[in-house]
Amino acid sequence: MTQAQLPGQPHISYRDQVLTVEGLASPELAQRFGTPLFVYSKASMLAALAAYQRGFAGRKAQICYAMKANSSLAILQLFAQAGCGFDIVSGGELARVQAAGADVSKVIFSGVGKTRAEMRLALQAGIGCFNVESEAELEVLNAVALELGTTAPVSIRVNPNVDAKTHPYISTGLKGNKFGVAHDRALATYQRAASLPGLKVVGIDCHIGSQITQVDPYLDAMDRVLDLVEAIERAGIPIHHIDFGGGLGINYNGDTPPEADALWAQLLAKLDARGFGQRQLMIEPGRSLVGNAGLCLTEVLYLKPGEQKNFCIVDAAMNDLPRPAMYEAYHAIVPVQADDTATATSYDVVGPVCESGDWLGRDRTLAVAQGDLLAVLSTGAYCMSMSSNYNTRGRLAEVLVDGDQAHLIRRRETAADTFALESLLPNG
Ligand code: PLP
């Protein structure tokens, strides 16, 4: 990736050879807030959302940000104020939506393992819809709703059995995946749902995977879902909304996913052709709203030349940025201060954690010296939200840049924070 092709442009770019986020130079952010540090561009997030909003102009569509991608309160607040609802997968995520002051009626609740307690909380809060993922869950949700003397709005997540052509760990719409109700069980499941007094069928849902860079899997899934809508409505069960999930990919390593508005131009053309163009639509994008808007600033602690490999040891690690270790995922790693004249060497960029799996980038050509700052790019999604305290490392601070203002949206965890919930045994 050349400097001219940084993902997140125009909001994350080199200015006078210095990596800049909106109006702020990243070395100054590192100095002010320390490293390692997550930095997000507000304008980049809003630009990503605007592409969806353009795509849906003149349609009935609700964008529910899949907050598992990045659930920091200020980011939820930003998207709520821009009109988004939220796709949640736990009671904890519901509490975050409430803490961010967002409209709970625009929340949809996905996930294969909702507990009774989570169902109760969500019903009492008045969420918009439960995306039910199995026949067994339907029965439990019905019982919980009846106990509370209410009815649960439901949509059933159907598994369309299409290949999203992405990493197997983030592919969710195939027969072998744990998600959703099998396509050929869907009609019977809807009939059961419609017969249960504690449930009200409101929609249908599918989500086929993540980091999808092609349009065809979406078009195939849409056909399969629309076939089902026709069959379910023929059976006398009205479907108010159709939810096509999330999954649109971003540019990590020269990937070229369609823009959200271009993707939806094709999907809406299919909906129109099949007579569903005016139906209430829902989508659940996560990564594509925040991924390219974030970077992680990290300092080079040591350079360690080796016989087989050279190591560039930085202060960020797999607990902060788990995607490379989990999925062998690629994140571009670039110098914060560009210098085209310096001699570059090939390094594995690794963190301080005691695991050989603790690597952030392999075989990267970098011109670096001890004490330099690097930026790990496209870390707005599934980084902070997947991070841990492994090796008793405090989670990073997060800063949201808005023009020439930097807002600390999460302070750095101290060691004391990491064991604050623990107790010693009584002595004696
Ligand atoms: N909806 C559901 C049900 C999901 O499981 C996910 C992610 O796994 C998403 C939406 C968001 O996907 P993405 O971040 O790829 O847009």
Side-chain angles (χ1 to χ4, degrees), residues 52 64 66 68-69 87 89 110-111 131 133 157 170 172 179 205-207 209-212 218 245-249 284-288 381-382:
Y52 281 101
C64 291
K68 63 170 80 68
D87 172 51
V89 289
S110 302
N131 286 349
E133 301 230 14
R157 176 169 175 183
I170 49 177
T172 57
F179 300 99
D205 165 48
C206 84
H207 170 78
S210 199
Q211 186 51 19
I212 301 169
Y218 280 108
L248 180 58
E284 307 163 5
R287 188 190 312 269
S288 54
Y382 302 108

Side-chain angles (χ1 to χ4, degrees), residues 395-417:
R395 261 177 277 238
L396 309 194
E398 294 176 290
V399 167
L400 183 78
V401 174
D402 179 9
D404 57 6
Q405 299 277 322
H407 300 284
L408 181 66
I409 61 169
R410 181 181 167 115
R411 71 160 170 81
R412 187 175 303 281
E413 280 178 10
T414 62
D417 288 330

